[in-house]
């Protein structure tokens, strides 16, 4: 069982300098997808290699995972994938990084750390303030995808996002994945484990209106 990293630790107050989109990607005009809490990035490698007409950006708080993922991007000469180390909340709240939020077409927050104890809820990635910041800065039409196997966490995330009236739920059956960041529905590492373990998966898609 891995030890969860406390995102509120002062270790994460210092944010690495984030390059411009044209420094991150060979074609900075392509649609951009952001995966928050991407772990080793395997999901994003699958996506970037399959769907070369999109750019993929992963943010992860465990530094070693990001270092390894960055090395792999260089070794494989992948031009539509970039990783950032740090606390996603701090990074995306920083005014210098507003260009990321303004340019993304979709965000996935898949199987985020649940932080079961009530006094630890403040460590969860999805917070009301974070959702308000997204609703103020995202372009209309931007999609947010959430998935988890923890029902309480799902209810918390769904309630937090839905209580912001700039986000509307999209019914999964009305959603056409073929045009999305994940046209053939690659699965994250956690999702593969959850499927093998026959646990339930709770998911929702929201659109900024
Ligand atoms: C349970 S894992 C799920 C990983 C992956 N999304 C998946 O579905 O397999 C959650 C990941 O989010 C990362 N994480 C947690 N809080 C974060 C934060 N505030 N910013 C960036 N990454 C975070 C953790 O280090 C961990 O790698």
């Amino acid at each position: 069982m891995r030890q969860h990293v406390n995102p509120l630790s002062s270790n994460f107050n210092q944010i690495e300098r984030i390059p411009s989109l044209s420094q991150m990607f060979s074609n900075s005009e392509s649609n951009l997808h952001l995966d928050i809490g991407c772990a080793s990035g395997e999901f994003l490698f699958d996506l970037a290699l399959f769907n070369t007409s999109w750019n993929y950006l992963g943010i992860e708080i465990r530094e070693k995972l990001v270092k390894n993922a960055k090395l792999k991007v260089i070794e494989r000469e992948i031009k539509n994938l970039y990783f950032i180390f740090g606390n996603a909340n701090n990074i995306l709240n920083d005014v210098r990084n507003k260009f990321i939020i303004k340019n993304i077409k979709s965000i996935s927050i898949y199987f985020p750390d649940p932080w079961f104890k009530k006094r630890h809820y403040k460590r969860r990635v999805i917070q009301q303030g974070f959702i308000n910041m997204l609703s103020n800065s995202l372009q209309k039409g931007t999609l947010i995808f959430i998935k988890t196997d923890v029902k309480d966490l799902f209810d918390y995330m769904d309630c937090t996002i839905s209580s912001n009236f700039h986000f509307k739920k999209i019914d999964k059956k009305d959603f056409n994945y073929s045009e999305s960041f994940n046209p053939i529905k690659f699965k994250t590492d956690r999702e593969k484990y959850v499927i093998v373990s026959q646990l339930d998966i709770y998911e929702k898609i929201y659109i900024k209106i």
Side-chain angles (χ1 to χ4, degrees):
M1 209 32 186
R2 80 177 164 85
Q3 201 63 37
H4 290 168
V5 174
N6 176 4
L8 303 182
S9 150
S10 58
N11 294 343
F12 303 111
N13 290 349
Q14 195 75 26
I15 298 172
E16 69 172 65
R17 196 196 72 81
I18 315 258
S20 66
L21 294 179
S22 55
Q23 289 169 310
M24 290 186 209
F25 306 111
S26 68
N27 183 0
S28 58
E29 301 291 305
S30 299
N31 285 340
L32 178 60
H33 177 78
L34 169 68
D35 188 41
I36 295 180
C38 62
S40 62
E42 283 310 308
F43 176 57
L44 293 180
F45 279 98
D46 285 343
L47 287 163
L49 290 168
F50 175 80
N51 204 12
T52 48
S53 62
W54 277 65
N55 289 329
Y56 295 92
L57 180 59
I59 303 182
E60 169 54 48
I61 202 164
R62 285 182 287 160
E63 192 166 19
K64 189 89 205 306
L65 296 183
V66 176
K67 276 191 177 150
N68 291 342
K70 279 179 182 256
L71 283 175
K72 233 164 91 175
V73 168
I74 296 168
E75 274 164 24
R76 297 188 185 182
E77 300 182 8
I78 303 175
K79 306 291 183 205
N80 61 332
L81 177 58
Y82 194 86
F83 291 96
I84 299 172
F85 156 67
N87 175 349
N89 303 71
N90 294 353
I91 291 167
L92 298 171
N93 268 315
D94 191 307
V95 284
R96 289 168 299 178
N97 300 328
K98 283 289 163 232
F99 69 94
I100 298 176
I101 303 284
K102 292 205 179 302
N103 282 286
I104 46 188
K105 290 279 177 278
S106 50
I107 309 176
S108 47
I109 306 173
Y110 283 167
F111 303 90
D113 289 340
W115 295 109
F116 289 106
K117 294 183 183 144
K118 200 158 191 181
R119 69 189 155 92
H120 287 158
Y121 283 5
K122 56 181 182 288
R123 298 181 184 180
R124 290 175 169 175
V125 170
I126 292 189
Q127 299 289 333
Q128 196 67 67
F130 183 62
I131 294 301
N132 293 345
M133 180 279 288
L134 290 178
S135 84
N136 289 332
S137 309
L138 288 173
Q139 292 176 47
K140 284 188 180 144
T142 303
L143 300 167
I144 300 180
F145 296 77
I146 62 163
K147 274 188 201 183
T148 178
D149 52 302
V150 180
K151 178 73 166 73
D152 280 355
L153 175 63
F154 174 77
D155 290 340
Y156 164 89
M157 295 196 289
D158 183 43
C159 175
T160 308
I161 301 175
S162 304
S163 65
N164 185 307
F165 60 82
H166 291 292
F167 292 109
K168 200 178 104 201
K169 288 181 207 190
I170 300 182
D171 211 317
K172 225 179 103 188
K173 65 176 178 353
D174 298 331
F175 188 73
N176 178 6
Y177 274 89
S178 65
E179 304 269 292
S180 78
F181 78 102
N182 191 4
I184 64 160
K185 299 194 188 175
F186 282 112
K187 303 200 172 2
T188 69
D189 286 350
R190 175 72 195 174
E191 185 165 12
K192 288 176 195 165
Y193 167 83
V194 165
I195 290 169
V196 169
S197 312
Q198 299 187 314
L199 300 172
D200 290 330
I201 295 179
Y202 307 93
E203 60 183 299
K204 210 81 233 169
I205 305 168
Y206 308 84
I207 185 163
K208 161 87 189 282
I209 52 172

